[in-house]
Amino acid sequence: MAEETFEPLIIGFCCNWCSYAGADLAGVSRLQYPPNLRIIRVMCSGMVHPNLVMDALTKGADGVLVCGCHPGDCHYQEGNLKAQSRADAIKLMLQDFGIEEERFRLEWVSASEGPRFAQVVTEMTEQIRELGPSPYRMG
Amino acid sequence: MVRFTIDGRKAEAESGKTILETARAMSINIPTLCYHKALVPHAGCRLCLVEIAGRDELQASCAYPVENGIEVMTSSPRVARARRLVAELLYLRCPEVPRIQELAREFGIDTDRLKERFTPDNEKCILCDLCVRICKERMKVNAFDYINRGHLRKWSTPYRQPSPFCLACGACQSVCPLGSVDLSEITLHKPRPILSEYDAGLTRRGPIHIPFAQAIPKVPVIDRDHCIYFQRGVCKTCEAFCEAGAINHDQKDEIERIEVGAVVLAAGYEAIDPQIRAELGYGRYANVVSSLQFERLLSASGPHMGKVLRPSDLTPPRRIAFVQCVGSREVDHNYCSSVCCMYATKEALIVKEHAPETECTIFYIDLRAFGKGYEAYYRRAKEEGVRYIRCHPSAVREVHGSKNLVLQFPSEDGSIVKEEFDLVVLAVGTRPAPDAAGLAGAFGLRLDARGFVQTHELAPVETSRSGVYVAGVLGGPKDIPESVMEASAAAAKAMSFLAPARGTLVGEMSYPPERDVAGEEPRIGVFVCHCGRNIAGVVDVPQAVEYARTLPGVVYAEDNMYTCSTDTQQRIKQKIDEHRLNRVIVASCTPRTHEPLFRNTIREAGLNPYLLEMANIRDQCSWVHMHEPVKATRKAKDLIRMAVVKSALLEPLYSASVEVNPRCVVLGGGLAGMTAALELARQGFEAHLLEKSDALGGNLRSVKFLLNGVDPQERLRDLVSRVSSHPRVRVYNKAELVDFEGSAGNFLTRFRADGHLYEIQHGALIVATGAAEHRPSEYLYGQHPAVVTQLELEERLARGNFQAASVAMVQCVGACEEEHGYCSRLCCAQAIKTALKIKERSPDTAIFILHRDMRTYGFYEASYREARERGVRFIRMAEGTRPEVAASNGRVTLSVTDDILKGRLGLETDMLVLSTGIDPGEGNRELAQVLKVPLNQDGFFLEAHMKLRPVDFATDGIFLCGLAHGPKTADESIAQACAAAARAATILSKPRIELEAAISEVVDENCDGCAYCVEPCSYKAITLIEYAKDGGVKKTVDVDPGKCRGCGVCQATCPKKGVVVRGFRLDQLSAMVDAALAVDTPVPV
């Protein structure tokens, strides 16, 4: 496949209460974003094990996006803050694995932020498109 | 049905449909500029040409009806050549129009070369006829039409004059594919854009709209005041677009009669129109906005997606001025709106978060940060650089040209300065809901003089009519936490009122016995929804179904027009039976709205509801990739594959349930505790009221009179007697808590009272342990007989032994200071209350109130005004200064720096009254440990959410009210106590509590008892345990299903896969990741 046809594949983990709803709202508002994201619904961003992120990236995902509620809005009090501290650890692991930091993002998207969700996905897709395929991508 | 082929694919359509319509239904893209669903085809732009096998001429597919047996080719070389030629001609006609330039790019036209060879026309219109047709066919106006012939042909209004017949509806403008129609050239009338109410007039909306992003139900409504059909009987264009046929213009308002036992009114308020302060320029100057508009500008769902841009030129404002009290604290709005100081502070802080270099200035009279945590927030805003200037600007002027705004105000040294701002935000106050008077009339309620619904003294949500309750700002200005408390309080009152009828109208659902699927191989059924055209218009649904059939474990797959329709539900149940399905995938919309429905469907077919998985191929696929059908189809297949692999790993889940002990323990026998206990008893529950002293009453015993004239002591006696005599309330004096355990529905409390040890099993607990008046150590208190606290003064006034020719009161003693960083909320109104009482007893007594901000929020503002009118003198202490106090022959001298005079003032008075703050209860820390609930940094109990859950603790089953939560008035304590009772009743009223099924589960063989997961659990649901195993001691953790909420923080913390969340297990999520990465459907080229 030629370089210019590279389509990034991004795995998204969205929390049920805020960001998954925000992603739904992007749809209801018919906001268009690139079709490169595959969303996995989780109950809370704090549920996403760092191994899930690292596994995805080392098995060939070009990017991983974890979305949670804004600080203070977590349905489970502070699962999102836990996700944030893990994100710092994940970034360190990325270095060890030789994966660019931009391939992992943690973003806060509320249930009313459809436009923000679309914007985050568009930005991230473009950014990763520029980075090129994951070093771990097969074929 | 007509059968034929398009691009080699079999197609069928109803007779009379066009080729274009059929192709679109099959997701085959045919370009066109002049096609419109609601108009007669025109075949004008010629872009939609297609080839029909055996015909010489290419045909315009938008106008060509389908015929049996024809073979249509939409992308043959001949078609491509012809369309390209058309595109070139269109380009030469309108080379400057962006849409045509885009078209030229799509067709890869070398425009430079084309322009060299031919002279372009530079027209704006391609004569697609859409505007003329919609005006003629739909609006029945025909305000303009074609003139001239041949290449001079163009559209025009009669005599080339703006038409008086034009409705200025804007349809022509909205259908023009090139965006070239200028309504003002056509109409004699002024176009009236419909301003979005949700965006406070900052944006426009259509006559059909979803009123706001989170509307429930989230369906569009037709605004009859603006819909051309309802105004003129024409148009109905929308009907042609709604695939579901859901638009019915003949629908009439229906009047429904519902018999109810009680009514709660919560009709809210209206923002005051800032134009009442015409001198501030709202409505005249573009860059003067109301605070609600500013709120929308800040919002991510607002007009500029959260970018703050000023209206005149859409540039980010660098200098923003907030003007407080617009419409509040006026003679004709003689109350404080209570929320504006804090929302302005919040808005300023959020702007600075977005753009730290923004300078925010808040012009205020008194900064009323009186709520829980607000003083700290205000302090933070000052630290972040928000500038507070004590001044109410008299006018705003616009600078010609820049449209900046100039405000005048006194500077620090007292001289008047002028300053320019880029944006001015007017903090508008609240006024009664526009229909408050109508509601009051309909329900027979009294309104107060200001137009709010009148409530009883010391009975905050009760109206003048029994059985009718009011909550929120309809009863007076208040902030979110107080509104939420009142809402629950109104529910409590209604529940007490209706207690005998509780549960009498509840029906039971019955289901068939559940099929045991244990040990069965997965037999997965996949149902892919078209959702009319919503999904199928983009995603190739039949292809997705074909694909699903190839996936491992899938034994059945089909597509449905609407999977959620009643007949499809029946069909799903039938297919589950027929194919012995033991997992069901619905690929359709979002599980957030439809999972309960489909879970119920499979439960009705005898499957455990947790054997359902959904693939969201609408909200997160077809709707967001509308122009990329191929990629969207691929994504939909991926999502289905991910759902299939997860579903194979699903297992039936069962929620445990616990029996509820329908009794409540209330800690604290003050006003809040007594009110909560009595309210619960009225609702039919047993309440055990524990008071640590030897008598009920708490702080209310020291309150001798109130501003509204009610005798609190009489009320107290009444309340104590009702509590003591109620058969379902048991009071324990001198009670001392020993320990507390269990979870919601099933607590066990041990306590000692009167020498006995009691043990009570109960379903809920209410903390109402109160607080205490701060005992000062400064200002000669306790050393000089003339120095007293407010409560001591109140006591003297009540006893009638008050005598003084002059009194000074000092506010904020032990509040808003270093060691007491919070505002005690009550003291300003308390000072006004005692000052007015003194004036009533001895009008000649001179009273000086030394204060910082007078925080007489809400209706207390009227009393503050009254005090000024009666001659009470208010001296504002300069910021950061405190009065110096000295004894002088039985009198007291004070020296204070006056903020307005900027100099020292000396006072000698007979009495010095200290308005002391409220200290958190002494035993709070110890109690918090026993109950395992948190305190805030000031030492008050911390609720689950400051705004939305103001009476709940994060731990289920434990609730909070009164001064234990934070300083508040008697009315507010009562409202919160009723609210706590209502919240407790949500547990006590159920015979059993269903626990969440998708919660954590320990995998004992993986867990080595490292206990990493224990501390991060916000619900304290995990404990480390040890047990004997294989002759040794095995360490492991244990999850309390009564406390776990299934957030999964433990799962993500565990390094050994020793704890997982059912339904979201690590292996399930991991399988989904693998499935997402196993891309085996390359994009067809």
Side-chain angles (χ1 to χ4, degrees), chain B residues 391-507:
Chain B
C391 162
H392 191 59
S394 55
V396 172
R397 288 189 213 298
E398 188 179 69
V399 179
H400 185 70
S402 70
K403 295 200 183 286
N404 287 346
L405 303 146
V406 173
L407 272 76
Q408 261 189 24
F409 54 92
S411 69
E412 295 255 316
D413 61 21
S415 65
I416 302 293
V417 292
K418 280 184 181 178
E419 200 173 307
E420 210 169 294
F421 294 91
D422 304 317
L423 185 73
V424 171
V425 180
L426 304 183
V428 291
T430 57
R431 50 178 281 174
D435 51 355
L439 271 181
F443 286 97
L445 310 179
R446 269 195 297 279
L447 293 179
D448 66 16
R450 314 160 193 98
F452 292 98
V453 171
Q454 192 169 45
T455 53
H456 287 293
E457 292 83 8
L458 293 187
V461 299
E462 294 174 53
T463 66
S464 54
R465 184 165 176 188
S466 111
V468 181
Y469 308 99
V470 59
V473 184
L474 187 62
K478 58 185 64 72
D479 206 338
I480 295 171
E482 288 76 34
S483 294
V484 174
M485 287 175 206
E486 282 198 356
S488 289
K493 288 288 172 191
M495 284 197 286
S496 302
F497 194 66
L498 302 177
R502 183 194 290 281
T504 52
L505 296 174
V506 178

Side-chain angles (χ1 to χ4, degrees), chain A residues 7 9 11 13 16-17 20-21 23-28 30-35 37-44 46-50 52 55-56 59-61 72-73 75-79 82 86 111-113 115-116 119, chain B residues 210 213-214 218 300-301 305 534 590-592 595 616 619-620 623-628 631 634-635 638-639 642 945 954 1016-1019 1045-1049 1051-1055 1061 1064 1066 1069-1070 1072-1074 1076-1077 1079:
Chain A
E7 281 298 335
L9 184 59
I11 308 286
F13 293 96
N16 182 61
W17 308 99
Y20 195 87
D24 283 344
L25 181 63
V28 174
R30 306 297 195 277
L31 303 169
Q32 305 295 300
Y33 57 80
L37 178 71
R38 303 289 177 268
I39 296 177
I40 296 173
R41 181 167 70 116
V42 290
M43 294 313 281
C44 176
M47 175 186 268
V48 182
H49 200 293
L52 270 176
D55 274 1
K59 283 177 179 171
D73 289 355
H75 186 79
Y76 302 106
Q77 299 181 41
E78 43 192 38
K82 309 262 158 62
R86 282 188 205 118
S112 66
E113 293 178 343
R116 183 172 149 70
Q119 194 189 1
Chain B
I210 296 176
Q214 281 152 317
K218 196 181 259 174
S301 63
M305 288 176 61
N534 281 309
T590 171
R592 294 183 61 260
E595 194 175 65
N616 187 342
D619 304 45
Q620 297 180 1
W623 276 351
V624 289
H625 314 307
M626 296 174 80
H627 312 304
E628 296 172 281
K631 288 178 181 169
R634 176 182 156 182
K635 175 170 170 179
D638 288 357
L639 294 174
M642 290 158 68
H945 190 284
C1017 176
S1018 298
Y1019 302 99
R1045 305 283 289 275
C1047 70
V1049 162
Q1051 165 169 302
T1053 306
C1054 180
V1061 180
F1064 292 92
L1066 208 51
L1069 299 180
S1070 197
M1072 290 183 86
V1073 171
D1074 291 347
L1077 296 174
V1079 182

Side-chain angles (χ1 to χ4, degrees), chain B residues 292-354:
Chain B
L292 271 182
Q293 291 178 315
F294 192 70
E295 193 82 18
R296 292 307 302 149
L297 284 173
L298 284 175
S299 169
S301 63
H304 313 300
M305 288 176 61
K307 265 203 200 96
V308 177
L309 303 176
R310 63 180 201 156
S312 74
D313 50 11
L314 300 183
T315 56
R318 216 171 41 75
R319 302 158 300 179
I320 304 177
F322 295 81
V323 179
Q324 298 304 111
C325 297
V326 175
S328 306
R329 305 183 65 180
E330 302 273 356
V331 176
D332 48 354
H333 285 114
N334 191 11
Y335 54 84
C336 161
S337 295
S338 305
V339 292
C340 325
C341 286
M342 290 322 287
Y343 75 58
T345 299
K346 174 201 74 176
E347 288 175 350
L349 269 177
I350 294 179
V351 182
K352 288 186 82 70
E353 271 169 28
H354 286 217

